[in-house]
Amino acid sequence: MTAIRPGSQPPISAPDRSIWLIVIAVISSALLLVSQEQNWLAALPSAVRNFLKNPLVASLVLTLFLANLLFAYRWKAHLWAKLLVGGLSLFLILPWAGRDNTSVLDLAIQIGIFAALSLGLNIVVGLAGLLDLGYIAFFAVGAYTWGIFGSGQIGKVLTYFKDNGGNNGPVVALGGLVLVIITALSLRAINRVKGKRPPLTSAAFLLAAFGLLAGVTLLVRGIVVLASANAAGFASGVNPNFFWLFLILAVAAAASVGVLIGLPVLKLKGDYLAIITLGLGEVIRVLANNLSTYSNGSQGITPIGSASVPWFDSLAAALGFSPAQYNLFFLYFVVLAIIAIIILANMRLDRSKIGRAWIAIREDEVAAQAMGIPLVKTKLIAFATGASFAGVMGVIFAAKQGFISPESFILNQSISVLSMVVLGGLGSIPGVILGAAVVTILNISLLPSLGEATASLNLPPQVNPAQLQRLVFGSILVAMMLFRPEGLLPSVRQRRMMHEDDDPTDNQTPQDSIAGELNPENAAEVYSPGVATRADDERGGGTQ
Amino acid sequence: MDFATLAPFLVGVIISGLVLGFVYAIIALGYTMVYGVLQLINFAHSEVFVTGAVVGFEIFRVLADNPMNGYLKLLIALIAAMAASGGLNVLIERLAYRPLRNAPRLVPLITAIGVSLILQDLIRIIEGFQGRFDLTYQLPQGFSTPFCGPESSCVSVGNFLSKIGISLQIKEVVMVLVALLSLAALNYLVNFTKLGRAIRAVAQDRVTAGLMGIDANGIISLTFLIGGALGGVSGVLFGLKFGTVNAYSGFDPGIIAFTAAVLGGIGSIPGAVLGGLVLGVIQNLIGVTNILGDALGIANLGVIDSSYQRIGGFLVLVLILIFKPTGLLGRSNVEKV
């Protein structure tokens, strides 16, 4: 491959599309609002009304509207036009359309959830190169963390312990606390031993780690038994205002599960890691299915509450939302905020020392180790970071659905998130968000509406499009991988890897407009791992 | 339950676990063959084997009223299933994997998942047009009878087994025999023929093998044919064992068989068989944990019921891989910088 460095290509003179951007945004917003608002629809002639009410058309309109955001991101346009279109779409038009048709808001939240999941998995698979097929388990951990406490389930658990826990709560809690302190201190002491560890130290470390686990378990059990005296007070879960606390707790819980799962298996590579993570994901699901005391088994937990912010609710009321929609309206903005934080975190991580360490490990583990990167620690951080994003979104998911059961966390979901990441472009932040949006819209909106739209054609039930989701989704996956294996919005580095053998002039063809983004003047920049590294050290990073 | 009844019960559980294990082993071999040459987890293999099971079902259904010998029907079903699954596997390789030979490894993995989704719906549609979803095997007469009935006078292994309280059906014996035969055939093919040598050469280094005059693409197609044919055999065995099959029933055994392949050391043929047998036995043992708990007087074991069967296999896998990261019989390859 010829060495192509950022900035070494001739700038592409894409026409300024600010006008087009705004025109399309206005048209699609108007279409969306008209197609969702009953009053406006009623005023239209019946032919137009029926056309707009067609589920397929409505779904396409919604898709076109969401594509605005993509255009705003991708096209060369003035910054103010981009910000205007993006901001108005996200903060005004979408909630507005959602007021008249809750499913729009629901879809938007779902896209947000999957986008965050994909961003998390992108760190694990895209940056660190660890193939994780059990990623949905962390999502489940987050969902159950809030699901149990945000519903009457915690009351049931406490009642169970009141009846069966005995009355030695203080003793157990105290013992657990002592054990935790002792083992934590000894872990710390062992960690300070310098030089090559004798086998005895390793054994002691393992023992202390198990002790710590046992101590935490005892402590938690003791606290639960102590708290079980007020079981009646928790009949409908904890105070909804604790939602914010649980957002943070879910991050911690998912990250610790990530470390726990990661510790024993990160020595493995590639497909071994894939099958183990797949297995451990299943383990979490089966546990959720079987520990019915805590998770209510396969019946799932319902109803799960959600936080409510009074001024936000009154804002929603002023905007004409019905009380049943407050929750979605509120969660929509929470999701937006969390996504913003996650994107920011991702961009920072990409450029950070740890991000470069992940890329180094992905490219060549042995060489990375030789350069002094601590393998296990770096991989664990990747696992924990990815997991924590999933944990947060698990809480949101539980609060949005109001119902969780082990069925929501099956292997297919993990695979679905993985395909979002690969479909969008491994390692590229805008890519995986686009991938998540495309797959979610396809699965939740387009295919079902295609089924509804063709309902009158009397197709045999076997080929009803609503039943063909797997076929269509599978075909798209295969076609994408065959014709555009680097994904929809590839990261710069990934793209180079895929096109190593191509003629370098290919990079200048207009449809490869991504090359234009290497030029800082073409505002939209793909945050890609590796770019920074190359710039910092051109001799080492210039070619692959 | 005292020891005198517990012992034959346990032996029975283990034997039926071994029978199940042979089914898993043959499925796992399909994964192993493909993985061996392409280092690709062929997620579509579970649908390839379901295709075999569906073809087997159709053969048994068509031949149900035919007064033909039951074993001949089984043979026809096996051959048809092998042909269908093998052909399908070659087709998949040609269309979905070959264009991606030089892409990063995640890309063909995603394609495999896509193919598997497509096949699931295709099978459902094709069978759905005839109004069927759950396909129940119509076995020839005598297949489900005990291996040697109590009134039978034969002095045989079966009679001995039934005397000490272990029941074994004829179909189970047939299944094990079929599995062993295909194993022997595969072993001969890979280890003792020129073709097998070519396969091993391509598995080791595709480019160099090509320089030595081996048609690498042809050999890879052939490997997919063999892997698919094994999938066909295992599909029919699966149908014999469980009786019903539907478009989506490949998923669970597919995952377990892949676990088996990894457990034994992926890419290793004896490893896949060993892994399958181990997982089959462990699954069956976990299924009866509560009975064992009752017998041994350990009350709390009762909470472990059959829904833990799958994760039991995974936990064993984790344990084994921690101590032996390449699986039971896998070889570690030396890393070069």
Side-chain angles (χ1 to χ4, degrees), chain A residues 359-369 375, chain B residues 335-337:
Chain A
I359 296 163
I361 286 183
R362 181 188 72 190
E363 295 301 321
D364 191 334
E365 214 166 81
V366 182
Q369 201 173 18
L375 276 192
Chain B
E335 284 187 81
K336 287 164 286 191
V337 182

Side-chain angles (χ1 to χ4, degrees), chain B residues 56-128:
Chain B
F57 159 82
E58 292 292 346
I59 299 286
F60 278 123
R61 186 181 62 86
V62 169
L63 296 180
D65 298 328
N66 200 311
M68 197 188 279
N69 185 324
Y71 295 100
L72 193 60
K73 288 182 189 174
L74 178 67
L75 189 67
I76 296 175
L78 277 174
I79 291 173
M82 282 169 79
S85 297
L88 180 67
N89 220 13
V90 172
L91 195 70
I92 295 172
E93 192 271 334
R94 186 71 194 76
L95 296 179
Y97 302 151
R98 190 176 294 181
L100 299 170
R101 257 324 130 63
N102 295 317
R105 294 182 51 195
L106 256 183
V107 172
L109 184 80
I110 296 286
T111 326
I113 292 170
V115 169
S116 134
L117 292 176
I118 295 175
L119 286 179
Q120 282 179 5
D121 254 8
L122 280 184
I123 294 172
R124 185 183 57 80
I125 291 171
I126 292 172
E127 286 299 316

Side-chain angles (χ1 to χ4, degrees), chain B residues 142-306:
Chain B
F143 265 42
S144 290
T145 50
F147 180 44
C148 206
E151 69 274 1
S152 117
S153 56
C154 60
V155 184
S156 68
V157 185
N159 218 352
F160 171 71
L161 287 178
S162 60
K163 224 167 223 150
I164 61 171
I166 295 166
S167 64
L168 204 59
Q169 291 177 348
I170 286 191
K171 67 174 183 184
E172 291 178 319
V173 179
V174 171
M175 282 165 60
V176 172
L177 284 181
V178 170
L180 284 176
L181 270 180
S182 22
L183 267 178
L186 181 71
N187 191 41
Y188 174 74
L189 183 80
V190 171
N191 287 326
F192 299 101
T193 61
K194 214 170 163 183
L195 205 66
R197 201 185 294 169
I199 292 178
R200 281 179 287 147
V202 171
Q204 256 189 1
D205 188 337
R206 202 158 58 225
V207 179
T208 315
L211 294 177
M212 299 294 144
I214 296 172
D215 171 17
N217 274 334
I219 293 295
I220 291 174
S221 284
L222 197 81
T223 316
F224 271 82
L225 182 72
I226 298 169
L230 286 168
V233 174
S234 54
V236 175
L237 294 188
F238 180 82
L240 286 179
K241 168 87 185 160
F242 292 99
T244 52
V245 63
N246 67 42
Y248 305 127
S249 58
F251 183 78
D252 266 12
I255 295 291
I256 296 168
F258 186 71
T259 313
V262 174
L263 184 67
I266 190 154
S268 146
I269 291 177
V273 179
L274 183 64
L277 294 181
V278 168
L279 279 191
V281 171
I282 287 176
Q283 273 209 342
N284 262 15
L285 282 179
I286 291 178
V288 297
T289 328
N290 46 2
I291 301 177
L292 289 183
D294 284 349
L296 300 174
I298 311 171
N300 286 332
L301 277 184
V303 299
I304 300 178
D305 58 9
S306 53

Side-chain angles (χ1 to χ4, degrees), chain A residues 6 39 53 100 112 160 183 224 226 243 305 421 427 468 509 513 519:
Chain A
N39 299 339
K53 268 172 93 177
D100 304 305
Y160 174 81
T183 48
V224 169
L226 276 179
F243 179 75
V421 174
L468 292 184
T509 51
S513 58
N519 188 335

